[in-house]
Amino acid sequence: MLHILKLLIPALVPSWNFFDVITPSPRIQFALYGLNDEITIEWQEYRHRPTHLTLFQMIGRMLWNAKWNESMFIIGCAERLMVNPTLHSENEILNRMINDFTNKTSDIDLNNATHLQFRLLVVERQGSELHQNITYYSRIKKLPTWKIT
Amino acid sequence: MSIDDAIRLTEILMGFAFAQQSIEHFVSKGGERYMFIFRFILAVLLIVGFQTTGVLVILLLLALEILNRFQGPYNGGADRMSLLILSCLCLAQLSPTQYWKEIAFGYLALQLVLSYFISGFVKVVNPEWRNGQALCDVFLFSVYPASESLRNWANWPRLLFFMSWGVMLFELLFPISLISSTSLYIALIIAASFHLSNVFMLGLNRFFWIWISAYPSILWFQQRIFATT
């Protein structure tokens, strides 16, 4: 009850400090591990944003923007992991990745993949240049066997 | 606008915003989907005006469960504003007297004013906002731009400098619009346009619908405070 109250108070007495500081920004990358013992870890960016949106797509997003809002939640979980790592945040990211990959809502080919891991990169501007640092590795999670091709 | 009309209009607009938010979860897995189907049904009941006080209380309890499910807001500021409006409506409907009803609903109006003013204040005290660098960074490397092509806006620092000051000045001057109903209507149209541009550029559709839901409170508040003095 006290925990829920802690979550509720920022809504009842909001700080309203939107975009006060542009903080370092997380990126999520994932790697699939296969049945073979070959160690060839290839990190791929999770959920590319679209290259371009048409005006029609932008207007449509007024009413239906489920994927983008879920991506924002996943980014929120990544930000929580950078500050205060919890199993909840890690599970949310891993489970939504598995959901994407197994439901063919992404173009990721699972092939012989058996396990999944993600890592967090933080992008920040230092002077006039952008720098990336790896800040977090998730545990390696087994993929559901019933979906592996 | 009477307080009862303003509350009813807020309920309808918030009901629509909740329905829109809930539909986006219909493609989710398991428990999350069922929780939001239930929320969608409650939102429709609120829009049609069926047992509104009871529906509001159930929506608030469900909101706490959702907060617990995601260990915080699912959609940041939009969810926080949703909870704020819902809590104020619950308190207004359950208030024993007209005085407490006005206090509860007036608190929402006050927070709406602060949502713009404080957002402007925290920006203007930051030198990176004053020189336009912060908005450049939003487009350059933040997670918010809705498409890769929008990142090219970072190549237009002069434009972003003027946009930064446009946003900051509007947010800081928003409270002054309360002096007359005409100026308030103009300010709210500009504010809604600002939220609309955020939908197009940053994909923040939930902010647009839920902030608009709070507008009746400030229209009532302006008449209540300034039209009687």
Side-chain angles (χ1 to χ4, degrees):
Chain A
M1 192 63 199
L2 190 67
H3 177 62
I4 293 178
L5 207 61
K6 274 185 188 169
L7 296 173
L8 179 63
I9 284 172
L12 299 183
V13 191
S15 62
W16 302 130
N17 54 352
F18 297 126
F19 293 95
D20 54 341
V21 177
I22 311 305
T23 53
S25 173
R27 302 283 187 275
I28 304 172
Q29 293 183 331
F30 67 92
L32 294 164
Y33 300 93
L35 287 167
N36 304 327
D37 289 326
E38 300 163 22
I39 304 172
T40 49
I41 302 171
E42 187 190 341
W43 291 99
Q44 302 177 62
E45 191 175 338
Y46 180 53
R47 291 205 178 186
H48 293 279
R49 73 194 64 239
T51 309
H52 180 73
L53 289 173
T54 63
L55 183 64
F56 183 73
Q57 286 173 315
M58 287 182 188
I59 293 168
R61 283 176 160 218
M62 294 278 292
L63 292 172
W64 179 261
N65 205 7
K67 195 82 175 171
W68 181 259
N69 283 321
E70 189 186 39
S71 295
M72 289 295 107
F73 171 64
I74 292 169
I75 290 294
C77 289
E79 287 170 343
R80 291 180 204 172
L81 281 175
M82 295 189 311
V83 178
N84 178 29
T86 63
L87 195 59
H88 175 274
S89 298
E90 191 172 292
N91 283 341
E92 283 286 354
I93 298 174
L94 284 169
N95 291 338
R96 283 168 201 274
M97 277 181 171
I98 291 170
N99 192 30
D100 275 359
F101 301 160
T102 55
N103 284 325
K104 313 265 183 218
T105 51
S106 73
D107 54 2
I108 301 302
D109 186 2
L110 287 177
N111 281 327
N112 292 321
T114 57
H115 289 77
L116 166 72
Q117 185 182 28
F118 73 83
R119 69 180 184 182
L120 300 180
L121 267 74
V122 168
V123 181
E124 60 185 321
R125 185 176 50 75
Q126 290 174 358
S128 59
E129 291 184 354
L130 292 182
H131 288 262
Q132 292 189 347
N133 294 308
I134 299 163
T135 56
Y136 186 85
Y137 282 93
S138 76
R139 71 182 189 278
I140 296 171
K141 185 176 168 80
K142 196 172 187 308
L143 290 166
T145 50
W146 54 276
K147 282 289 183 186
I148 297 171
T149 54
Chain B
M1 189 185 293
S2 73
I3 188 166
D4 290 330
D5 288 344
I7 286 175
R8 183 69 198 118
L9 188 55
T10 306
E11 286 169 353
I12 293 168
L13 291 170
M14 188 190 71
F16 178 79
F18 280 15
Q20 186 278 323
Q21 292 171 7
S22 301
I23 286 171
E24 290 190 343
H25 290 268
F26 284 8
V27 290
S28 304
K29 282 268 185 180
E32 184 179 328
R33 179 194 301 164
Y34 298 125
M35 201 153 59
F36 282 94
I37 288 174
F38 182 45
R39 191 172 184 249
F40 175 80
I41 293 166
L42 291 169
V44 172
L45 292 177
L46 190 65
I47 292 167
V48 299
F50 177 80
Q51 297 290 329
T52 50
T53 306
V55 168
L56 284 169
V57 172
I58 299 169
L59 273 169
L60 184 60
L61 293 173
L62 185 60
L64 296 179
E65 178 51 32
I66 291 169
L67 207 55
N68 188 48
R69 160 69 183 80
F70 295 116
Q71 289 297 293
Y74 180 82
N75 208 240
D79 275 15
R80 292 208 166 112
M81 184 54 126
S82 301
L83 257 172
L84 177 68
I85 298 174
L86 183 56
S87 304
C88 290
L89 285 177
C90 274
L91 287 173
Q93 292 288 22
L94 294 170
S95 292
T97 64
Q98 184 72 8
Y99 173 78
W100 286 109
K101 185 189 255 190
E102 291 192 353
I103 293 288
F105 201 53
Y107 181 73
L108 175 59
L110 176 71
Q111 285 298 339
L112 183 66
V113 175
L114 291 176
S115 76
Y116 292 116
F117 179 74
I118 294 178
S119 294
F121 181 77
V122 295
K123 288 184 185 80
V124 83
V125 296
N126 180 345
E128 295 209 326
W129 267 102
R130 292 199 301 272
N131 65 24
Q133 183 63 57
L135 198 51
C136 271
D137 286 350
V138 169
F139 286 100
L140 185 64
F141 69 84
S142 85
V143 295
Y144 293 103
S147 68
E148 284 299 332
S149 60
L150 283 166
R151 292 219 181 272
N152 294 328
W153 282 53
N155 298 325
W156 297 86
R158 205 167 171 79
L159 172 69
L160 295 177
F161 171 81
F162 287 111
M163 280 173 64
S164 300
W165 273 101
V167 169
M168 286 187 291
L169 287 175
F170 170 73
E171 290 181 330
L172 285 168
L173 296 175
F174 184 83
I176 296 173
S177 70
L178 286 166
I179 55 171
S180 79
S181 60
T182 306
S183 58
L184 181 59
Y185 273 109
I186 292 168
L188 291 179
I189 289 168
I190 295 170
S193 307
F194 166 68
H195 291 300
L196 192 63
S197 69
N198 285 340
V199 180
F200 290 166
M201 288 193 285
L202 311 179
L204 304 175
N205 62 328
R206 294 185 180 199
F207 278 75
F208 176 79
W209 298 115
I210 201 65
W211 248 260
I212 282 179
S213 307
Y215 286 2
S217 69
I218 199 168
L219 291 170
W220 162 78
F221 184 80
Q222 192 278 332
Q223 285 180 359
R224 176 72 179 81
I225 302 297
F226 293 89
T228 55
T229 54

